[in-house]
Amino acid sequence: MIRIINHGTYLLKGKDLLEKENAAIADRNLEPQSARKNTIAYKILSQHNTSGDNKTIKIRFDALASHDITYVGIIQTARASGLTKFPIPYALTNCHNSLCAVGGTINEDDHVFGLSAAQKYGGIYVPAHQAVIHQYVRETMTRCGTMILGSDSHTRYGALGTMGIGEGGPELVKQILEKTYDLTYPEIIAIYMKGKPRPGVGPQDIALAIIGAVFKRGFVKNKVLEFVGPGIENLSMDFRNGIDVMTTETACLSSIWTTDDKVKEYFAIHGRAESYAKLEPGEIAYYDGAIIVDLDKVVPMIALPFHPSNVYSIAELNQNLSDILRVVEEEGQKQIDNPSLQFNLTKNIDNGRLKVDQAIVAGCAGGSYENLVDVASIVENHSLGNDSLSLSVYPASQPIYLELVKNGTMAKLMTAGAIIKTAFCGPCFGAGDVPANGNLSIRHATRNFPNREGSKPGDGQLSSVALMDARSIAATAVNGGYLTPATDLDFAPANLPYSFDRKIYANRVYNGFSQPQPEKGLKFGPNIAEWPKMIALPKNLLLKVACVINDPVTTTDELIPSGETSSYRSNPLKLAEFTLSRKDPQYVERAKGVQKVELERQNYVSNDTSLLSPSLKELCAFLTSLPLEKAEEVLKETGIGTTIFAVKPGDGSAREQAASCQKVLGGWANIAAEYATKRYRSNLINWGILSFTLRNPDQIGFGVDDLIFIPNVKEKLMNGDEIFPVQVISPQGNRAIELMLTNLTKEEREIILSGCLINYYSK
């Protein structure tokens, strides 16, 4: 059902995919570089590139979007850097923390701050429960041929002709300050769709099939996916959006689709007919690779814990249940890395069948109109029962909710026993519908990382999530919780046309774009704190390894947990207390111990005193053991900090707190074999953290409390060096290795030299 072409490929007239060696291509004497310009992605990127260079591009976006986990930090950073008004439409939505505050008023305090910022700087404020971030953007902000930058990793609007990119907050700060998003020109991969999905197969099934085929191979990492081919016309808009939003889980940079009359109709329904434009590749377009998707061959899929790429067909799982679950348990136990917790899926086998404990359809991926209509068609005239299994549905926006009420869909769901909730991203990030300890939840949502559903391993809790399509979730729910593909049922989807009511947003959303009120004051709650002072990069660095993660991939959820911890999102010091708390609970204590010594060093330098504290005397004694002279002089020029080592960190969320919390605790570097995504590496750079890789992968072998001395790091960074000789001091002895710092722009080097983006702009 999925075939990968791992070399250059041509598309003729938008329909015929021809591999490079094809005679028809040779006869035309085509040159890849010129044919690449005929892709949709190249055209849009070129129109937004301000560099005049097609290798290193500098993008200015058309609009921005953030939710309430990130917008306070973004606005605080921009304020410290000279913000006067929002130069482009910027939507501040409140869909991530509206139900999970653990600190009294702090949750709503942030919302009050958001509204005051929208009023002062000319922004768009979407109150809680109105819409999840990406549905609001789809309904009101997308336009064919435009680009939108969001501080959420699932910023994907390609099916509507808009290239969406999810990045950490500092990248939005750059746009707010009318700077650019800089990157090397990305490769473009064709997603060639043919055929038509069989009844019972939904968008999540298609998405999981693609993710399962490409993620572990890194085939589309940091590349743009361009959806083409005759199969697209057989997909509704909700179906396309459902596939598109999940492209984030392939580790791609962005996505774009050809547009047609269905897209045109979507914009007309939403009162924005002028936003439509026909997008299609030129007559002959060149792609750096291709993925062929036979839509009619895709079957209902399931992504087992703990990653969206851990994909099986439901039929395959049911046929090999014990064997597959044991493998998943073994791999999952390694990932949890906690001997006191026992990851057990096989206990859910009941009479040879997998029985689940909870079912949810929610968020930007699951809560679409069409998904919920189909769920209602399946559960109608059934009882979901009064046992432990529950089915919860979250419409992605109030307009969708209203239409489902008007046409009777909600009545069908409620009568069957489903629980109806408002627009909220909680189930996707661990702040709503947390299952019981040891339970297995099936969800049409975006992610199933460890503890993302909200369990707390430090309290002895462990539950897990498997991702599925809404239709198979409904089929499983009406079958008593026994895993059931929707293709096993004979159901007829209801044909209920959608009508969008604009009055809901007109009556509730504050839209102040282009109408800033600078005289308005920002409203600060007691938990909204300024960023702590961060110093510029010193001449040398002495780093203690505070955490070592040897997992094949490390997610941002492991670096900074989601869920209720995000209630402290607006207080950098309090949020930092949760850094790596579910992966390495001792990290914060280790980092603080090192940071205390660094603060003593800074005080020693600033006071220009000859008095050394016991810690600094010990440090000087250590420095004399290195090939250095005048240890006290070196001390004044050597920053003391921490680093973490992870094989491949940064998969998952765009939350910049995965980097900023390390910096707040005195982190100066990450060391990795490679970085899982561009967005995590960008977050490190913007917070002044050196994103090192190993020049020799065989040199992996760091231990907690190892010391790494990096001489002349400031000078080497200023000179544009990419190779950094360092000394590793460990109980096993000292060794010299080389770290790499590659592909940094001049501005990125200056940001690190300044200590962080805030310092860079304040200069």
Side-chain angles (χ1 to χ4, degrees), residues 97-390:
N97 241 51
S98 56
L99 297 178
C100 75
V102 295
T105 69
I106 62 177
N107 189 68
E108 194 58 25
D109 289 344
D110 284 0
H111 296 172
V112 170
F113 174 90
L115 177 57
S116 69
Q119 293 169 336
K120 182 177 183 66
Y121 300 119
I124 301 163
Y125 178 82
V126 185
H129 307 290
Q130 292 297 302
V132 299
I133 178 173
H134 303 308
Q135 187 62 25
Y136 180 81
V137 174
R138 289 170 190 152
E139 292 171 348
T140 66
M141 299 176 73
T142 50
R143 287 187 293 119
C144 292
T146 60
M147 296 186 70
I148 293 178
L149 183 67
S151 57
D152 183 88
S153 53
H154 291 93
T155 304
R156 293 287 188 269
Y157 317 115
L160 294 166
T162 298
M163 286 184 68
I165 296 179
E167 281 281 358
E171 292 298 331
L172 276 77
V173 172
K174 292 177 184 177
Q175 296 293 311
I176 292 171
L177 300 177
E178 301 188 74
K179 308 300 182 182
T180 59
Y181 176 73
D182 303 343
L183 72 161
T184 302
Y185 193 89
E187 292 187 7
I188 303 171
I189 304 295
I191 309 290
Y192 185 81
M193 311 193 87
K194 61 181 182 178
K196 180 180 181 179
R198 63 183 69 181
V201 170
Q204 188 83 324
D205 297 316
I206 309 297
L208 292 178
I210 295 171
I211 295 163
V214 305
F215 176 81
K216 292 175 182 176
R217 299 176 56 168
F219 180 61
V220 301
K221 177 182 172 182
N222 295 330
K223 301 175 185 178
V224 177
L225 305 186
E226 185 158 313
F227 286 76
V228 296
I232 291 177
E233 66 184 18
N234 296 320
L235 305 177
S236 69
M237 286 313 304
D238 272 359
F239 207 115
R240 298 180 201 185
N241 286 330
I243 297 171
D244 188 61
V245 73
M246 290 297 293
T247 61
T248 294
E249 304 312 320
T250 68
C252 74
L253 177 74
S254 186
S255 64
I256 194 67
W257 294 52
T258 56
T259 61
D260 57 17
D261 286 346
K262 289 184 180 178
V263 181
K264 185 176 184 179
E265 180 186 29
Y266 180 94
F267 283 118
I269 288 171
H270 289 80
R272 299 191 296 119
E274 73 285 354
S275 297
Y276 174 75
K278 178 68 175 174
L279 300 181
E280 59 185 348
E283 183 176 357
I284 305 166
Y286 177 83
Y287 297 88
D288 298 287
I291 300 169
I292 299 175
V293 182
D294 286 308
L295 294 169
D296 48 4
K297 294 182 180 178
V298 177
V299 295
M301 311 295 286
I302 183 170
L304 290 170
F306 286 111
H307 199 275
S309 65
N310 197 15
V311 175
Y312 299 84
S313 72
I314 294 177
E316 176 189 8
L317 176 60
N318 283 337
Q319 290 167 9
N320 304 278
L321 192 56
S322 296
D323 292 342
I324 291 174
L325 292 185
R326 287 193 191 97
V327 171
V328 173
E329 285 175 348
E330 291 175 5
E331 293 303 312
Q333 195 70 49
K334 294 176 186 176
Q335 201 168 349
I336 295 166
D337 192 25
N338 187 339
S340 66
L341 296 176
Q342 186 62 42
F343 178 43
N344 190 337
L345 289 176
T346 51
K347 70 176 180 58
N348 284 68
I349 299 177
D350 183 8
N351 292 321
R353 303 182 67 185
L354 181 64
K355 190 172 183 181
V356 304
D357 305 294
Q358 184 191 59
I360 295 173
V361 179
C364 56
S368 71
Y369 174 78
E370 192 173 277
N371 281 346
L372 299 186
V373 167
D374 281 0
V375 168
S377 296
I378 292 172
V379 304
E380 185 179 11
N381 299 321
H382 289 81
S383 169
L384 297 178
N386 57 9
D387 204 349
S388 59
L389 178 72
S390 63

Side-chain angles (χ1 to χ4, degrees), residues 13 68 126 254 338 374 396 402 420 430 456 478 522 540 620 668:
K13 298 182 178 179
D68 45 342
V126 185
S254 186
N338 187 339
D374 281 0
L402 178 60
I420 315 300
K456 299 179 181 180
V478 300
L522 294 175
N540 316 301
C620 278
W668 268 112

